[in-house]
Amino acid sequence: MNEESSMGLAFVSSSTESIGNATTPTVTIASSDSSSGRIVSEREPNGNSRFRFENRAGLVSDLAFLANMPEVADVTFLVGDDKQPVCGVRAILAARSRVFRKMLFPERDPLAGGAATLEKKASRKFTSQIDGNVSSSSSSSSATNASLSPPGKCYVIPDFEHLEFKQLIHFLHTGTCTLQAQILPGLMNAADHFGVDELKKACMGFVDSCIGTDTVCPLLNIAERYIQYKSTKSLVHKVLEYIDRHGNEVLALPSFATLPGHVVSLILSRDELKASEWTKFAAAHAWAVACNKRDPSVSVKSAIEPLVSCIAYHRIPPAKLMKEIKPLGFVPDETIMMALAYHADPASVDMDRQSPRAKIRSPTPRDTLASESSV
């Protein structure tokens, strides 16, 4: 059936459904604009048929338009260190998230018992934060143009960045959001923190797709901000597994030099890391040089010192040991001599006892990322 109705809706497909001895049509339609919908038949308990029209795409589009209209919003979140505003509609947020419902409507608690524990914690946390900020915000806004005041009640959200929290709010209003590697850690933890399970699962499913050579170091840097959240554990675990498999490639990246020192030490000391010891030393040296450039008060030698014990020098060719490593003065002469002795006669040195890597088995600050992410 290909004809247009008087309502401007084009019939694009049709099928039949048998109900008893009767044949009932099921028609899918598309409007003349970008909205789409369909008419479906339903069987009533008495055996009669009824038809229902649905246009979910149009609803999503309208809600997206609504979410971007501050004049109709009745709540504002001041997000991040610079407190950038993100507006929303309280009724929608409350309907989509129990945590937001408890935060935005604390006087009503339809939940009881242990199920409300998370929401109560969230409510206390954000209410206490906003109590200390609303009065100052109100006084400052009264001194300026009232039209500049954010709509509705304000809540300070210091733990997440503006872009990722905005995507969370957009998802709650429309059921859609944009997944990108640079906001993945924050968005995944925000979804977990505010009880948006479907978005959290989507983020976790997106992890494998976004992990690559160019993204592992930025992801680890971003994960540092959210190390206190439990969802970070699975992300860090998968990133480290990728680095283990592509060690030589990742360690040579300029972005590797941007990682925190304890993360660099954790990576270099992993037994699963598939990278040559020379590549590891070169990466440690490049990181120390970058650290010195960022802060001249930190010498290259002092920066690389915690990383020296992460290298198995007896696996580096003698020529590189003598011509490139020893002149730098970062590695103790005793360590280099032991490595050279091993090359001359492997049976003469017990490297399991003499190797500096044996020292890393005791807990050190570089294990912070792994230990905290497992909480």
Side-chain angles (χ1 to χ4, degrees):
M1 179 169 15
N2 292 308
E3 59 179 308
E4 292 188 0
S5 71
S6 59
M7 298 176 62
L9 299 175
F11 293 89
V12 297
S13 66
S14 63
S15 61
T16 58
E17 177 185 11
S18 296
I19 301 179
N21 295 324
T23 300
T24 305
T26 299
V27 182
T28 301
I29 64 173
S31 63
S32 55
D33 57 17
S34 60
S35 301
S36 61
R38 63 182 188 141
I39 295 177
V40 296
S41 63
E42 298 176 336
R43 185 175 181 179
E44 296 181 338
N46 60 8
N48 294 331
S49 296
R50 64 180 178 182
F51 296 91
R52 175 172 52 86
F53 172 73
E54 60 182 32
N55 184 3
R56 298 181 181 180
L59 175 62
V60 169
S61 177
D62 291 341
L63 289 175
F65 180 73
L66 179 68
N68 290 313
M69 296 178 63
E71 58 269 26
V72 300
D74 57 1
V75 64
T76 300
F77 303 96
L78 304 178
V79 186
D81 297 333
D82 50 0
K83 297 182 180 179
Q84 295 188 51
V86 176
C87 301
V89 178
R90 290 201 308 161
I92 296 177
L93 297 177
R96 298 274 281 150
S97 164
R98 293 193 305 270
V99 178
F100 275 115
R101 180 164 65 243
K102 185 63 180 179
M103 180 198 308
L104 301 174
F105 298 95
E107 68 280 3
R108 298 188 179 186
D109 186 9
L111 301 175
T117 302
L118 179 61
E119 290 82 350
K120 290 179 180 179
K121 290 181 178 179
S123 177
R124 288 196 298 268
K125 176 180 179 181
F126 289 104
T127 300
S128 62
Q129 290 173 343
I130 198 61
D131 284 345
N133 291 279
V134 170
S135 58
S136 60
S137 175
S138 299
S139 60
S140 61
S141 62
S142 61
T144 59
N145 194 326
S147 63
L148 300 179
S149 300
K153 187 175 182 180
C154 292
Y155 293 81
V156 176
I157 309 291
D159 294 339
F160 297 99
E161 297 290 346
H162 175 262
L163 182 58
E164 54 209 31
F165 189 81
K166 185 177 181 180
Q167 284 296 324
L168 172 69
I169 297 300
H170 184 82
F171 175 80
L172 290 175
H173 282 81
T174 68
T176 65
C177 70
T178 301
L179 297 179
Q180 297 174 309
Q182 60 265 35
I183 67 170
L184 180 62
L187 182 60
M188 179 171 61
N189 284 291
D192 184 30
H193 185 73
F194 289 99
V196 188
D197 293 338
E198 65 271 32
L199 180 56
K200 174 189 172 183
K201 292 178 181 178
C203 290
M204 294 179 67
F206 181 65
V207 167
D208 292 332
S209 301
C210 74
I211 291 179
T213 303
D214 296 334
T215 61
V216 286
C217 293
L219 282 173
L220 285 177
N221 276 323
I222 299 171
E224 277 287 291
R225 176 179 173 88
Y226 303 106
I227 199 63
Q228 72 273 26
Y229 293 100
K230 60 182 181 180
S231 293
T232 305
K233 176 183 177 180
S234 60
L235 174 62
V236 171
H237 179 71
K238 290 188 176 183
V239 170
L240 291 177
E241 284 185 336
Y242 181 91
I243 295 176
D244 288 340
R245 298 192 302 269
H246 304 84
N248 285 317
E249 192 176 357
V250 173
L251 267 56
L253 294 172
S255 57
F256 187 81
T258 66
L259 294 175
H262 67 274
V263 178
V264 173
S265 185
L266 172 65
I267 292 172
L268 296 181
S269 62
R270 286 173 65 85
D271 292 331
E272 301 84 357
L273 181 64
K274 294 181 180 179
S276 70
E277 300 301 318
W278 168 248
T279 299
K280 291 164 62 175
F281 180 83
H285 186 215
W287 179 87
V289 171
C291 186
N292 172 256
K293 289 182 178 180
R294 291 190 295 266
D295 184 1
S297 66
V298 179
S299 67
V300 176
K301 184 174 182 178
S302 62
I304 200 175
E305 185 177 0
L307 306 177
V308 168
S309 62
C310 300
I311 316 297
Y313 296 93
H314 64 288
R315 296 176 183 170
I316 298 178
K320 287 189 177 293
L321 284 172
M322 295 304 298
K323 294 181 180 180
E324 301 190 47
I325 294 182
K326 189 176 186 303
L328 294 174
F330 301 147
V331 182
D333 290 341
E334 179 185 0
T335 300
I336 294 179
M337 293 304 295
M338 286 290 183
L340 293 173
Y342 178 86
H343 281 287
D345 181 7
S348 65
V349 182
D350 183 359
M351 295 309 300
D352 289 337
R353 296 188 51 156
Q354 300 294 339
S355 174
R357 293 188 67 183
K359 299 178 182 179
I360 67 174
R361 296 309 171 207
S362 57
T364 64
R366 64 175 167 269
D367 298 318
T368 301
L369 180 62
S371 61
E372 289 187 353
S373 64
S374 64
V375 175

